[in-house]
Amino acid sequence: MPRARLTPLSVTEAGAALIDEIGFENFSMGLLAERLGVKTPALYKHITSQADLVHRIAARALAEFADAIRDAIQGRAGSDALAAGAQAMRTYVLEHPGQYATADAAAARPTGPDDPIIPAVERVVASWAAMLRGYHLDSSQEIHALRMLRSALHGFSTQEAAGGFQIDASIDDSFTWMINFLDRGLQDITATATATTTTTSSSAR
Amino acid sequence: MPRARLTPLSVTEAGAALIDEIGFENFSMGLLAERLGVKTPALYKHITSQADLVHRIAARALAEFADAIRDAIQGRAGSDALAAGAQAMRTYVLEHPGQYATADAAAARPTGPDDPIIPAVERVVASWAAMLRGYHLDSSQEIHALRMLRSALHGFSTQEAAGGFQIDASIDDSFTWMINFLDRGLQDITATATATTTTTSSSAR
DNA sequence: GCATGAGGTTAACGTCATTAACCTCTAGCA
DNA sequence: TGCTAGAGGTTAATGACGTTAACCTCATGC
């Protein structure tokens, strides 16, 4: 009987795939072991606990997610960047619902200051922030715009993945509608701000 | 030793309170039984399973949530209604994070056509729809606006409750900023739509 | 070749949810 | 008033988990 040659990485990857297939709440060590053709305790030679495994899956997912957003925004600006980044996020969540849920749950509570989850989250935020820079918002508004964006995109993707939208209207249409809405609103802020600035005086800072 | 005089309702209510305190993922039959001064199996005289209990908690939560939104919007219109409804939702989620999570998880999958969760969800949607009516949107846009609103509010509340926002900027400010943003955008849609209609001709539908 | 340890296995334990078997108040009726 | 049935508890037992301990066995480096 040949050895399975498992490694922490291969276990994590198999876990990530499985969690996407069966969902975060149905995931179990037994199922993963079975999937890998091994008995449950064998997994503990490569990871220290289920919590550890889930955390690794989350870190991996978050890194991939950050890459996807970065790549989508790369080379685009303004409305284009927003649309591409948003679509990339939605696609990721739809294709990896289990991993996204895992990442979402883990992102809120890093295990320590050297948790790889932290830089991954920062990369995601940095991408959104870079994208927003194309709208030339007042720096005091940036954080609010960022939070709104995350809220809207997270909320939409999450509800769509959970089947929370009824099917009587196109979800694709709703998504692009929302993105257009956000885009127009962001442009308006800039427009009115510059208008005001131009009209009154010019104190950028 | 006096009897505990439990009922399905009292068990559900105690469960709802407990799930808010310790969180959805930490909830267990044993803890609830202990809280009620009873052994675990006693609970099964009043509910059929943990899934049943969770479902009851979700239904109860969703009904309360629907009431809160309705009451907040009641008697207000336009921006006021939006702000009040949104604030009511955020408050509910912050005060009942466990129940909201439970409701959210259950809302996607009703157990049958007579599931009390269904009318409760409909009531929530109806409230938001009523609120949106104040913006006189084109009927084809209503569903998109509704989904956007749910996404943004759900995403924001959920992330705030999970501690997903850093503390370096006021979350309150971000929330009202977001609401203002949404309000302005919705007003603009109406404005441009009527402007177009007035300018060109008057062909509604 | 051979020993040693990485990487499996089986066995056993504690915690859950759940069910079965049993007990005991208490309400309702003769 | 006293009896009885069943509502509403209890303890004990079962099976699915996660996890750990004890053990076994390749396969690799000397």
Side-chain angles (χ1 to χ4, degrees), chain A residues 3 28-30 40-41 44 50:
Chain A
R3 291 253 170 129
S28 79
M29 295 306 234
T40 309
Y44 291 82
Q50 185 176 36

Side-chain angles (χ1 to χ4, degrees), chain B residues 12-25 54 57-69 87-105 154 157-162:
Chain B
T12 303
E13 280 171 352
L18 181 59
I19 216 167
D20 275 337
E21 287 174 37
I22 67 178
F24 184 61
E25 54 285 339
V54 165
I57 293 174
R60 205 192 86 99
L62 221 33
E64 255 188 40
F65 180 70
D67 288 351
I69 307 287
Q87 196 49 257
M89 168 157 180
R90 182 159 87 113
T91 301
Y92 184 87
V93 177
L94 287 178
E95 285 176 357
H96 308 289
Q99 288 189 66
Y100 184 77
T102 308
D104 186 41
H154 178 263
S157 307
T158 257
Q159 294 200 58
E160 179 181 12

